[in-house]
Amino acid sequence: MSDVENHSRYSLEKVDICDRAAIERVLAEARPRAVMHLAAESHVDRSIEKPDDFVQTNIVGTYAMLEAAMNYWLGLDGEAKTAFRFVHVSTDEVFGSLGDEGAFTETTPYQPRSPYSASKAASDHLVQAWHATYGLPTVLTNCSNNFGPYQFPEKLIPLITIKALRGESLPVYGKGANIRDWLYVEDHASALRLALEKGAIGECYNIGARSERTNLDVVRGICKLLDEFVPDGAPHERLITFVEDRPGHDYRYAMDPRKIESELAWRPRESFESGLRKTVQWYLQNRSWWQAILDKTYRGERLGRGKAPALGSTA
Ligand code: DAU
């Protein structure tokens, strides 16, 4: 954020998305051309531990955002009203869990299986309802697993990287055979920009880079990069520890991105390997960023009714 915070068109307001009056005030003051709704509780394991925040932020918060955006949009006229968009950013997890074959398309029926994905599915339904019923000009995106710089250490790739750097055991749920479809964060950002600028009103777009990997392959990939960057700790794979599985663990996600590729000409620029290299390097070079989180907010402990050791324990 430091590279944009002095820009004349940048301002930051910290408000609760459930606080509709606060959102309405921000919209009235900023007078945006569009709203991109990315705010969400996003970690599956936390939703298993404490679903309340997910119901509140993801469902009630989206309702408040929709109502505030509706009122703002209704108050616009002319070109500003025609051009306004509400882009709702969601997840592939709303579609449920795949077997070994196939991929989610925009018409795959919703079948969420965790408190997190159920709350995101509910928010997607609210967005579609506000479009169909009130005509709010919405665009909905569903994306696969993101990775890259600044990702909170609760997620697999930063968690494993940080634990490996600290010589701690690397918790792999179950047998590590679950499959995720990985997308570098900047490629997600470019897709969102296109959805905002060129997406058709009322439409949904699936975003993914056809980069399926098993969790064990991801963890091994991180270990190999660290062997190269920090040879003293090699082989980092010795730290891999198989731990109790996540309850209700979705087996596989895979996105079919043909619609956004053909209609909006989106293409990811990063391969999984090039993105992972950049990401691991970023965590190596930005220790103070994640160390501050470990000191204050999240120590790397297992969330969601598991038994893996917290940061500080060794393999
Ligand atoms: O698919 C998109 C979703 O990807 C987003 O909507 C979510 O916000 C995001 O958190 C992510 O969900 P996952 O549950 O797939 O991500 P997570 O990083 O928690 O886990 C990735 C895989 O790695 C999953 O199969 C569980 C496994 N895992 C995770 C952790 C934290 C482990 O094996 N060990 C771990 O310590």
Side-chain angles (χ1 to χ4, degrees):
M1 219 162 357
S2 52
D3 50 342
V4 294
E5 63 195 3
N6 294 322
H7 198 286
S8 59
R9 289 168 61 205
Y10 169 84
S11 76
L12 175 67
E13 298 261 1
K14 283 191 182 178
V15 297
D16 180 348
I17 60 162
C18 298
D19 183 348
R20 191 168 136 192
I23 302 289
E24 283 179 346
R25 174 187 61 75
V26 171
L27 293 178
E29 286 171 13
R31 308 214 46 83
R33 286 183 297 162
V35 171
M36 295 194 82
H37 176 30
L38 295 107
E41 288 290 340
S42 70
H43 195 48
V44 174
D45 292 328
R46 283 186 200 278
S47 83
I48 294 168
E49 202 148 298
K50 191 164 175 275
D52 315 39
D53 295 342
F54 289 73
V55 171
Q56 193 61 28
T57 302
N58 297 353
I59 306 178
V60 179
T62 297
Y63 164 67
M65 290 292 293
L66 286 165
E67 283 291 87
M70 263 294 293
N71 285 340
Y72 172 71
W73 172 66
L74 288 172
L76 298 173
D77 29 51
E79 171 56 19
K81 188 165 192 174
T82 315
F84 183 78
R85 296 286 181 279
F86 183 95
V87 180
H88 178 63
V89 179
S90 191
T91 170
D92 57 3
E93 297 199 15
V94 297
F95 299 118
S97 179
L98 287 166
D100 286 318
E101 301 292 321
F104 300 130
T105 71
E106 287 78 3
T107 56
T108 301
Y110 275 31
Q111 206 175 356
R113 293 163 27 92
S114 74
Y116 160 65
S117 53
S119 69
K120 286 298 286 182
S123 73
D124 291 7
H125 291 319
L126 289 175
V127 170
Q128 299 291 45
W130 259 244
H131 169 64
T133 307
Y134 306 114
L136 186 68
T138 60
V139 178
L140 203 161
T141 62
N142 295 87
C143 189
S144 63
N145 282 62
N146 278 215
F147 68 107
Y150 294 105
Q151 190 168 35
F152 196 80
E154 66 196 0
K155 308 286 199 240
L156 180 70
I157 288 179
L159 186 81
I160 295 298
T161 306
I162 292 170
K163 280 182 180 278
L165 278 172
R166 293 166 59 110
E168 295 169 9
S169 61
L170 312 179
V172 173
Y173 296 172
K175 294 182 175 149
N178 298 62
I179 293 167
R180 296 293 181 264
D181 187 358
W182 294 94
L183 181 68
Y184 192 65
V185 63
E186 286 180 16
D187 285 324
H188 189 189
S190 73
L192 294 181
R193 180 99 202 221
L194 279 174
L196 169 66
E197 288 168 359
K198 297 189 181 150
I201 290 175
E203 288 295 317
C204 310
Y205 297 92
N206 280 3
I207 308 169
R210 298 186 177 88
S211 276
E212 292 180 54
R213 300 285 184 284
T214 66
N215 292 339
L216 192 54
D217 282 343
V218 171
V219 173
R220 285 189 172 138
I222 296 168
C223 289
K224 285 206 171 62
L225 286 167
L226 287 175
D227 289 350
E228 181 187 329
F229 299 143
V230 194
D232 283 359
H236 290 85
E237 276 194 27
R238 74 192 146 78
L239 301 168
I240 292 175
T241 310
F242 294 95
V243 299
E244 184 190 330
D245 211 347
R246 170 186 281 174
H249 197 175
D250 287 342
Y251 170 58
R252 174 173 165 256
Y253 307 138
M255 276 306 214
D256 179 342
R258 280 179 295 176
K259 181 174 172 181
I260 192 165
E261 287 173 350
S262 63
E263 294 184 14
L264 306 187
W266 174 76
R267 293 282 181 287
R269 296 173 63 155
E270 218 63 65
S271 70
F272 178 72
E273 284 68 28
S274 64
L276 192 64
R277 177 169 283 271
K278 283 186 181 176
T279 304
V280 170
Q281 272 170 332
W282 188 89
Y283 280 88
L284 262 168
Q285 289 159 3
N286 290 274
R287 284 174 190 257
S288 58
W289 179 83
W290 52 261
Q291 190 58 54
I293 293 171
L294 299 189
D295 291 344
K296 282 196 211 125
T297 323
Y298 172 59
R299 290 178 53 248
E301 66 275 17
R302 172 80 189 260
L303 300 165
R305 301 193 189 111
K307 294 188 177 94
L311 278 170
S313 57
T314 46

PDB file of all heavy atoms in Angstrom, residues 11-27 29 37 39-40 57 61 64-65 68:
ATOM      1  N   SER A  11      -7.712   6.962  -0.875  1.00  0.00           N
ATOM      2  CA  SER A  11      -8.000   7.226   0.536  1.00  0.00           C
ATOM      3  C   SER A  11      -8.412   5.916   1.196  1.00  0.00           C
ATOM      4  O   SER A  11      -8.953   5.029   0.541  1.00  0.00           O
ATOM      5  CB  SER A  11      -9.075   8.302   0.709  1.00  0.00           C
ATOM      6  OG  SER A  11     -10.329   7.764   0.443  1.00  0.00           O
ATOM      7  N   LEU A  12      -8.119   5.782   2.461  1.00  0.00           N
ATOM      8  CA  LEU A  12      -8.416   4.552   3.196  1.00  0.00           C
ATOM      9  C   LEU A  12      -9.394   4.856   4.324  1.00  0.00           C
ATOM     10  O   LEU A  12      -9.185   5.784   5.092  1.00  0.00           O
ATOM     11  CB  LEU A  12      -7.125   3.968   3.780  1.00  0.00           C
ATOM     12  CG  LEU A  12      -7.292   2.747   4.685  1.00  0.00           C
ATOM     13  CD1 LEU A  12      -7.785   1.535   3.898  1.00  0.00           C
ATOM     14  CD2 LEU A  12      -5.986   2.418   5.378  1.00  0.00           C
ATOM     15  N   GLU A  13     -10.460   4.085   4.400  1.00  0.00           N
ATOM     16  CA  GLU A  13     -11.421   4.198   5.501  1.00  0.00           C
ATOM     17  C   GLU A  13     -11.540   2.809   6.104  1.00  0.00           C
ATOM     18  O   GLU A  13     -11.803   1.852   5.377  1.00  0.00           O
ATOM     19  CB  GLU A  13     -12.805   4.585   4.964  1.00  0.00           C
ATOM     20  CG  GLU A  13     -12.858   5.906   4.267  1.00  0.00           C
ATOM     21  CD  GLU A  13     -13.398   7.003   5.172  1.00  0.00           C
ATOM     22  OE1 GLU A  13     -13.701   6.707   6.351  1.00  0.00           O
ATOM     23  OE2 GLU A  13     -13.516   8.124   4.677  1.00  0.00           O
ATOM     24  N   LYS A  14     -11.383   2.698   7.389  1.00  0.00           N
ATOM     25  CA  LYS A  14     -11.558   1.395   8.031  1.00  0.00           C
ATOM     26  C   LYS A  14     -12.957   1.331   8.605  1.00  0.00           C
ATOM     27  O   LYS A  14     -13.224   1.925   9.654  1.00  0.00           O
ATOM     28  CB  LYS A  14     -10.521   1.211   9.131  1.00  0.00           C
ATOM     29  CG  LYS A  14      -9.155   0.873   8.606  1.00  0.00           C
ATOM     30  CD  LYS A  14      -8.245   0.429   9.745  1.00  0.00           C
ATOM     31  CE  LYS A  14      -6.862   0.146   9.208  1.00  0.00           C
ATOM     32  NZ  LYS A  14      -5.913  -0.240  10.241  1.00  0.00           N
ATOM     33  N   VAL A  15     -13.867   0.645   7.923  1.00  0.00           N
ATOM     34  CA  VAL A  15     -15.235   0.516   8.442  1.00  0.00           C
ATOM     35  C   VAL A  15     -15.691  -0.939   8.366  1.00  0.00           C
ATOM     36  O   VAL A  15     -15.212  -1.706   7.536  1.00  0.00           O
ATOM     37  CB  VAL A  15     -16.241   1.419   7.677  1.00  0.00           C
ATOM     38  CG1 VAL A  15     -15.908   2.886   7.830  1.00  0.00           C
ATOM     39  CG2 VAL A  15     -16.328   1.061   6.220  1.00  0.00           C
ATOM     40  N   ASP A  16     -16.595  -1.277   9.246  1.00  0.00           N
ATOM     41  CA  ASP A  16     -17.185  -2.612   9.287  1.00  0.00           C
ATOM     42  C   ASP A  16     -18.204  -2.708   8.149  1.00  0.00           C
ATOM     43  O   ASP A  16     -19.109  -1.864   8.051  1.00  0.00           O
ATOM     44  CB  ASP A  16     -17.879  -2.764  10.660  1.00  0.00           C
ATOM     45  CG  ASP A  16     -18.530  -4.118  10.840  1.00  0.00           C
ATOM     46  OD1 ASP A  16     -18.661  -4.874   9.860  1.00  0.00           O
ATOM     47  OD2 ASP A  16     -18.923  -4.409  11.986  1.00  0.00           O
ATOM     48  N   ILE A  17     -18.086  -3.735   7.288  1.00  0.00           N
ATOM     49  CA  ILE A  17     -19.021  -3.808   6.156  1.00  0.00           C
ATOM     50  C   ILE A  17     -20.453  -4.109   6.604  1.00  0.00           C
ATOM     51  O   ILE A  17     -21.390  -3.965   5.822  1.00  0.00           O
ATOM     52  CB  ILE A  17     -18.588  -4.809   5.055  1.00  0.00           C
ATOM     53  CG1 ILE A  17     -18.477  -6.240   5.585  1.00  0.00           C
ATOM     54  CG2 ILE A  17     -17.315  -4.351   4.368  1.00  0.00           C
ATOM     55  CD1 ILE A  17     -18.483  -7.277   4.472  1.00  0.00           C
ATOM     56  N   CYS A  18     -20.617  -4.536   7.864  1.00  0.00           N
ATOM     57  CA  CYS A  18     -21.986  -4.746   8.365  1.00  0.00           C
ATOM     58  C   CYS A  18     -22.636  -3.424   8.775  1.00  0.00           C
ATOM     59  O   CYS A  18     -23.844  -3.376   9.034  1.00  0.00           O
ATOM     60  CB  CYS A  18     -21.978  -5.701   9.557  1.00  0.00           C
ATOM     61  SG  CYS A  18     -21.361  -7.335   9.140  1.00  0.00           S
ATOM     62  N   ASP A  19     -21.838  -2.369   8.856  1.00  0.00           N
ATOM     63  CA  ASP A  19     -22.334  -1.063   9.293  1.00  0.00           C
ATOM     64  C   ASP A  19     -22.788  -0.268   8.061  1.00  0.00           C
ATOM     65  O   ASP A  19     -22.022   0.465   7.440  1.00  0.00           O
ATOM     66  CB  ASP A  19     -21.204  -0.329  10.042  1.00  0.00           C
ATOM     67  CG  ASP A  19     -21.637   1.009  10.605  1.00  0.00           C
ATOM     68  OD1 ASP A  19     -22.731   1.492  10.242  1.00  0.00           O
ATOM     69  OD2 ASP A  19     -20.872   1.572  11.406  1.00  0.00           O
ATOM     70  N   ARG A  20     -24.057  -0.449   7.728  1.00  0.00           N
ATOM     71  CA  ARG A  20     -24.568   0.116   6.476  1.00  0.00           C
ATOM     72  C   ARG A  20     -24.464   1.634   6.437  1.00  0.00           C
ATOM     73  O   ARG A  20     -24.130   2.217   5.409  1.00  0.00           O
ATOM     74  CB  ARG A  20     -26.033  -0.316   6.325  1.00  0.00           C
ATOM     75  CG  ARG A  20     -26.580  -0.015   4.978  1.00  0.00           C
ATOM     76  CD  ARG A  20     -27.900  -0.721   4.837  1.00  0.00           C
ATOM     77  NE  ARG A  20     -28.878   0.156   4.248  1.00  0.00           N
ATOM     78  CZ  ARG A  20     -30.170  -0.109   4.218  1.00  0.00           C
ATOM     79  NH1 ARG A  20     -30.633  -1.217   4.761  1.00  0.00           N
ATOM     80  NH2 ARG A  20     -31.001   0.726   3.646  1.00  0.00           N
ATOM     81  N   ALA A  21     -24.729   2.269   7.570  1.00  0.00           N
ATOM     82  CA  ALA A  21     -24.655   3.738   7.609  1.00  0.00           C
ATOM     83  C   ALA A  21     -23.232   4.211   7.292  1.00  0.00           C
ATOM     84  O   ALA A  21     -23.036   5.186   6.550  1.00  0.00           O
ATOM     85  CB  ALA A  21     -25.093   4.249   8.977  1.00  0.00           C
ATOM     86  N   ALA A  22     -22.256   3.487   7.826  1.00  0.00           N
ATOM     87  CA  ALA A  22     -20.855   3.872   7.574  1.00  0.00           C
ATOM     88  C   ALA A  22     -20.509   3.682   6.098  1.00  0.00           C
ATOM     89  O   ALA A  22     -19.843   4.520   5.489  1.00  0.00           O
ATOM     90  CB  ALA A  22     -19.915   3.047   8.450  1.00  0.00           C
ATOM     91  N   ILE A  23     -20.968   2.584   5.513  1.00  0.00           N
ATOM     92  CA  ILE A  23     -20.694   2.335   4.082  1.00  0.00           C
ATOM     93  C   ILE A  23     -21.376   3.420   3.241  1.00  0.00           C
ATOM     94  O   ILE A  23     -20.801   3.954   2.286  1.00  0.00           O
ATOM     95  CB  ILE A  23     -21.214   0.938   3.651  1.00  0.00           C
ATOM     96  CG1 ILE A  23     -20.586  -0.182   4.478  1.00  0.00           C
ATOM     97  CG2 ILE A  23     -20.974   0.713   2.155  1.00  0.00           C
ATOM     98  CD1 ILE A  23     -19.141  -0.459   4.217  1.00  0.00           C
ATOM     99  N   GLU A  24     -22.602   3.774   3.622  1.00  0.00           N
ATOM    100  CA  GLU A  24     -23.317   4.818   2.861  1.00  0.00           C
ATOM    101  C   GLU A  24     -22.574   6.150   2.936  1.00  0.00           C
ATOM    102  O   GLU A  24     -22.479   6.871   1.950  1.00  0.00           O
ATOM    103  CB  GLU A  24     -24.759   4.948   3.370  1.00  0.00           C
ATOM    104  CG  GLU A  24     -25.593   3.792   2.829  1.00  0.00           C
ATOM    105  CD  GLU A  24     -27.044   3.792   3.287  1.00  0.00           C
ATOM    106  OE1 GLU A  24     -27.384   4.533   4.232  1.00  0.00           O
ATOM    107  OE2 GLU A  24     -27.818   3.011   2.697  1.00  0.00           O
ATOM    108  N   ARG A  25     -22.031   6.442   4.116  1.00  0.00           N
ATOM    109  CA  ARG A  25     -21.280   7.699   4.260  1.00  0.00           C
ATOM    110  C   ARG A  25     -20.032   7.670   3.364  1.00  0.00           C
ATOM    111  O   ARG A  25     -19.757   8.631   2.642  1.00  0.00           O
ATOM    112  CB  ARG A  25     -20.847   7.891   5.732  1.00  0.00           C
ATOM    113  CG  ARG A  25     -19.944   9.108   5.933  1.00  0.00           C
ATOM    114  CD  ARG A  25     -19.394   9.198   7.349  1.00  0.00           C
ATOM    115  NE  ARG A  25     -18.565   8.084   7.760  1.00  0.00           N
ATOM    116  CZ  ARG A  25     -17.311   7.879   7.355  1.00  0.00           C
ATOM    117  NH1 ARG A  25     -16.725   8.714   6.501  1.00  0.00           N
ATOM    118  NH2 ARG A  25     -16.624   6.837   7.795  1.00  0.00           N
ATOM    119  N   VAL A  26     -19.317   6.540   3.360  1.00  0.00           N
ATOM    120  CA  VAL A  26     -18.094   6.434   2.546  1.00  0.00           C
ATOM    121  C   VAL A  26     -18.435   6.591   1.061  1.00  0.00           C
ATOM    122  O   VAL A  26     -17.760   7.318   0.321  1.00  0.00           O
ATOM    123  CB  VAL A  26     -17.376   5.088   2.803  1.00  0.00           C
ATOM    124  CG1 VAL A  26     -16.241   4.879   1.818  1.00  0.00           C
ATOM    125  CG2 VAL A  26     -16.848   5.034   4.232  1.00  0.00           C
ATOM    126  N   LEU A  27     -19.508   5.942   0.623  1.00  0.00           N
ATOM    127  CA  LEU A  27     -19.890   6.049  -0.793  1.00  0.00           C
ATOM    128  C   LEU A  27     -20.286   7.482  -1.145  1.00  0.00           C
ATOM    129  O   LEU A  27     -19.907   8.000  -2.200  1.00  0.00           O
ATOM    130  CB  LEU A  27     -21.044   5.086  -1.116  1.00  0.00           C
ATOM    131  CG  LEU A  27     -20.705   3.595  -1.039  1.00  0.00           C
ATOM    132  CD1 LEU A  27     -21.940   2.748  -1.343  1.00  0.00           C
ATOM    133  CD2 LEU A  27     -19.583   3.227  -2.008  1.00  0.00           C
ATOM    134  N   GLU A  29     -19.242  10.178   0.202  1.00  0.00           N
ATOM    135  CA  GLU A  29     -18.054  11.052   0.172  1.00  0.00           C
ATOM    136  C   GLU A  29     -17.128  10.743  -1.008  1.00  0.00           C
ATOM    137  O   GLU A  29     -16.626  11.640  -1.670  1.00  0.00           O
ATOM    138  CB  GLU A  29     -17.270  10.910   1.489  1.00  0.00           C
ATOM    139  CG  GLU A  29     -17.972  11.621   2.640  1.00  0.00           C
ATOM    140  CD  GLU A  29     -17.344  11.334   3.994  1.00  0.00           C
ATOM    141  OE1 GLU A  29     -16.220  10.775   4.042  1.00  0.00           O
ATOM    142  OE2 GLU A  29     -17.994  11.640   5.005  1.00  0.00           O
ATOM    143  N   HIS A  37     -16.454  -5.613  -4.198  1.00  0.00           N
ATOM    144  CA  HIS A  37     -16.685  -6.163  -2.860  1.00  0.00           C
ATOM    145  C   HIS A  37     -15.803  -7.399  -2.651  1.00  0.00           C
ATOM    146  O   HIS A  37     -16.157  -8.502  -3.055  1.00  0.00           O
ATOM    147  CB  HIS A  37     -18.171  -6.487  -2.714  1.00  0.00           C
ATOM    148  CG  HIS A  37     -18.529  -7.142  -1.420  1.00  0.00           C
ATOM    149  ND1 HIS A  37     -17.849  -6.914  -0.249  1.00  0.00           N
ATOM    150  CD2 HIS A  37     -19.515  -8.024  -1.115  1.00  0.00           C
ATOM    151  CE1 HIS A  37     -18.380  -7.643   0.714  1.00  0.00           C
ATOM    152  NE2 HIS A  37     -19.392  -8.327   0.211  1.00  0.00           N
ATOM    153  N   ALA A  39     -14.298  -7.857   0.581  1.00  0.00           N
ATOM    154  CA  ALA A  39     -14.162  -8.073   2.022  1.00  0.00           C
ATOM    155  C   ALA A  39     -14.879  -9.355   2.435  1.00  0.00           C
ATOM    156  O   ALA A  39     -16.063  -9.516   2.170  1.00  0.00           O
ATOM    157  CB  ALA A  39     -14.749  -6.879   2.771  1.00  0.00           C
ATOM    158  N   ALA A  40     -14.139 -10.245   3.078  1.00  0.00           N
ATOM    159  CA  ALA A  40     -14.762 -11.494   3.520  1.00  0.00           C
ATOM    160  C   ALA A  40     -13.915 -12.172   4.579  1.00  0.00           C
ATOM    161  O   ALA A  40     -12.706 -11.982   4.640  1.00  0.00           O
ATOM    162  CB  ALA A  40     -14.927 -12.453   2.338  1.00  0.00           C
ATOM    163  N   THR A  57     -20.107 -11.534   8.663  1.00  0.00           N
ATOM    164  CA  THR A  57     -19.386 -10.714   7.679  1.00  0.00           C
ATOM    165  C   THR A  57     -19.807 -11.055   6.249  1.00  0.00           C
ATOM    166  O   THR A  57     -20.083 -10.163   5.446  1.00  0.00           O
ATOM    167  CB  THR A  57     -17.865 -10.926   7.833  1.00  0.00           C
ATOM    168  OG1 THR A  57     -17.507 -10.580   9.162  1.00  0.00           O
ATOM    169  CG2 THR A  57     -17.079 -10.068   6.854  1.00  0.00           C
ATOM    170  N   GLY A  61     -22.862  -8.824   6.008  1.00  0.00           N
ATOM    171  CA  GLY A  61     -22.022  -7.757   5.437  1.00  0.00           C
ATOM    172  C   GLY A  61     -22.313  -7.539   3.957  1.00  0.00           C
ATOM    173  O   GLY A  61     -22.369  -6.399   3.483  1.00  0.00           O
ATOM    174  N   ALA A  64     -25.510  -5.652   3.617  1.00  0.00           N
ATOM    175  CA  ALA A  64     -25.341  -4.211   3.896  1.00  0.00           C
ATOM    176  C   ALA A  64     -24.647  -3.514   2.721  1.00  0.00           C
ATOM    177  O   ALA A  64     -25.032  -2.403   2.334  1.00  0.00           O
ATOM    178  CB  ALA A  64     -24.514  -4.029   5.180  1.00  0.00           C
ATOM    179  N   MET A  65     -23.657  -4.172   2.133  1.00  0.00           N
ATOM    180  CA  MET A  65     -22.964  -3.591   0.976  1.00  0.00           C
ATOM    181  C   MET A  65     -23.927  -3.414  -0.196  1.00  0.00           C
ATOM    182  O   MET A  65     -23.909  -2.386  -0.886  1.00  0.00           O
ATOM    183  CB  MET A  65     -21.810  -4.500   0.538  1.00  0.00           C
ATOM    184  CG  MET A  65     -20.638  -4.551   1.483  1.00  0.00           C
ATOM    185  SD  MET A  65     -19.726  -2.998   1.556  1.00  0.00           S
ATOM    186  CE  MET A  65     -19.035  -2.930  -0.082  1.00  0.00           C
ATOM    187  N   ALA A  68     -26.377  -0.513   0.552  1.00  0.00           N
ATOM    188  CA  ALA A  68     -25.699   0.786   0.468  1.00  0.00           C
ATOM    189  C   ALA A  68     -25.393   1.127  -0.995  1.00  0.00           C
ATOM    190  O   ALA A  68     -25.604   2.262  -1.443  1.00  0.00           O
ATOM    191  CB  ALA A  68     -24.409   0.756   1.296  1.00  0.00           C
TER     192      ALA A  68
END
